[in-house]
Amino acid sequence: MPQKILLVDDDLSSIRLMSNVLMDLGAIQFATSGQDALRLIHEQAPSVIVLDSEMPGMGGFELCQILKSNPVTAEIPVVFVTSHATEDFQVTGFDLGAADFIAKPVSPVLLLARVRTQLRLAQATSELHRVATTDALTQVPNRGRFDEVLQVEWARCRRAGEALCLMMIDVDHFKLFNDCYGHPAGDACLMRVAQALRAVCLRPGDMVARYGGEEFVLLMPKTARAGGMHMASRVLAVIADLGLPHAASLTANHVTVSVGLGIYDAESPGWQPGGNESRELAVLALPLSAEDLTRAADRALYAAKVAGRARAYRLDVGDLDEAPSSVEFTAAN
């Protein structure tokens, strides 16, 4: 992935100077205010931010504090450019989470060296994070990474008034599969299932993760119940179409999955629309959480297994006390 450098300075001549120095290190973006910088950062996070400590309106320290308080942006390295070289000033910046300081007037050689170092560190950190959050067997994100992304997407959907669906997917009679074919074959089966689930995801925002054992999750932002039910049917069909033999299965002669679909959309009790209306109705909305969406999907999965497996059930996040409903299509039919 190409490196992205965000320059934040209210002085356009400084931005031009720094752009010329850093242009060979990656794609350059710039903002002339803290508010503009926040907008760009939330649209696409940069690899490193070079930030003027003193700007009208939102100053550099305030912007850094906002970024470091948000888990989504907290790890972006911030290099301050400042005319203040005092020890106390720099200590304050480091306490806020700054990665480095460069004194004005900016030395091109020093700027290049400092930013290159931060890019290398950011790349190494990103790779360590990728390894730590990837399931070693299936090479899809692991449970820890899913938990992180779920919290972010839940907060986004509640804030923006966007739908969110979560699928829990369980390989049917997997213990019997291992007993029949052996654990190496079981590992190969899980890898094939993970690859098939990845192929089902056609949008960059969709996320497949291994939840644990033979269980996977599929998180679908901006997806209402009709889209979620369609995806559940596709998952059932795609896994059945793999044609992986399962002579010990009590459901079919091939590998199948059971699916539970948790739904949060405009038809859900406790739905919170976006914008000003969202803030006005927030007090009236049910105190729903990301964990409620997980519980809905889990309860729906349990219902699918009780009903005979190789099928999908759905449950609305606001109806946890209700019985899950069957998705219209099942792979067993």
Side-chain angles (χ1 to χ4, degrees):
M1 183 179 294
Q3 304 275 45
K4 294 182 177 63
I5 303 167
L6 176 61
L7 309 177
V8 187
D9 198 313
D10 61 312
D11 184 350
L12 286 175
S13 62
S14 293
I15 286 177
R16 280 193 293 269
L17 170 65
M18 292 189 291
S19 295
N20 290 333
V21 172
L22 301 173
M23 61 187 303
D24 291 336
L25 295 184
I28 305 291
Q29 284 186 305
F30 71 89
T32 56
S33 70
Q35 291 293 350
D36 284 343
L38 279 177
R39 176 180 56 79
L40 291 173
I41 292 165
H42 288 303
E43 286 177 0
Q44 189 169 39
S47 308
V48 65
I49 301 170
V50 181
L51 176 60
D52 185 10
S53 62
E54 294 180 283
M55 294 183 296
M58 182 187 294
F61 277 6
E62 183 182 355
L63 174 58
C64 183
Q65 189 171 26
I66 291 171
L67 296 176
K68 297 305 176 181
S69 65
N70 185 340
V72 178
T73 57
E75 300 303 318
I76 302 172
V78 175
V79 178
F80 276 110
V81 177
T82 179
S83 56
H84 293 282
T86 64
E87 186 177 273
D88 288 345
F89 187 85
Q90 294 192 29
V91 167
T92 300
F94 283 127
D95 285 343
L96 289 174
D100 207 344
F101 280 85
I102 299 174
K104 290 182 177 181
V106 172
S107 162
V109 175
L110 187 58
L111 173 67
L112 185 63
R114 295 281 179 88
V115 173
R116 183 188 288 122
T117 296
Q118 292 304 323
L119 287 173
R120 288 172 178 165
L121 290 172
Q123 194 166 27
T125 301
S126 176
E127 178 59 19
L128 285 173
H129 185 263
R130 186 195 67 78
V131 171
T133 57
T134 299
D135 178 63
L137 175 65
T138 62
Q139 292 301 298
V140 298
N142 61 19
R143 169 73 179 273
R145 179 58 178 159
F146 163 73
D147 288 340
E148 290 177 2
V149 175
L150 175 62
Q151 292 298 330
V152 171
E153 293 297 344
W154 177 259
R156 177 180 293 132
C157 85
R158 291 284 275 181
R159 181 177 63 249
E162 296 173 347
L164 183 65
C165 280
L166 171 64
M167 241 188 278
M168 300 193 80
I169 303 152
D170 187 78
V171 180
D172 294 326
H173 306 296
F174 188 68
K175 183 180 184 302
L176 296 178
F177 185 97
N178 276 336
D179 292 344
C180 181
Y181 299 101
H183 288 279
D187 288 348
C189 172
L190 293 177
M191 287 189 282
R192 292 286 303 277
V193 169
Q195 290 168 2
L197 293 177
R198 267 182 151 172
V200 167
C201 298
L202 301 178
R203 303 179 308 167
D206 294 342
M207 176 189 185
V208 173
R210 188 178 180 190
Y211 198 68
E214 67 272 22
E215 200 163 73
F216 295 85
V217 285
L218 173 51
L219 185 63
M220 297 169 286
K222 299 182 181 179
T223 302
R225 63 191 63 217
M229 291 163 62
H230 172 72
M231 287 290 284
S233 294
R234 285 191 65 198
V235 165
L236 292 169
V238 164
I239 300 303
D241 288 346
L242 289 176
L244 299 175
H246 192 345
S249 174
L250 305 178
T251 302
N253 61 2
H254 55 81
V255 170
T256 60
V257 293
S258 298
V259 174
L261 178 66
I263 298 168
Y264 176 70
D265 66 7
E267 298 180 44
S268 301
W271 169 253
Q272 184 174 308
N276 293 330
E277 186 180 3
S278 174
R279 288 187 288 274
E280 292 169 2
L281 296 180
V283 176
L284 301 177
L286 291 175
L288 300 175
S289 67
E291 288 71 26
D292 290 325
L293 185 63
T294 303
R295 279 193 285 270
D298 188 55
R299 282 202 59 213
L301 174 61
Y302 179 77
K305 292 163 75 172
V306 168
R309 294 182 167 85
R311 66 197 66 232
Y313 270 65
R314 60 186 170 89
L315 182 62
D316 197 291
V317 68
D319 287 330
L320 287 173
D321 294 330
E322 303 295 324
S325 304
S326 174
V327 172
E328 283 70 12
F329 171 88
T330 66
N333 290 337

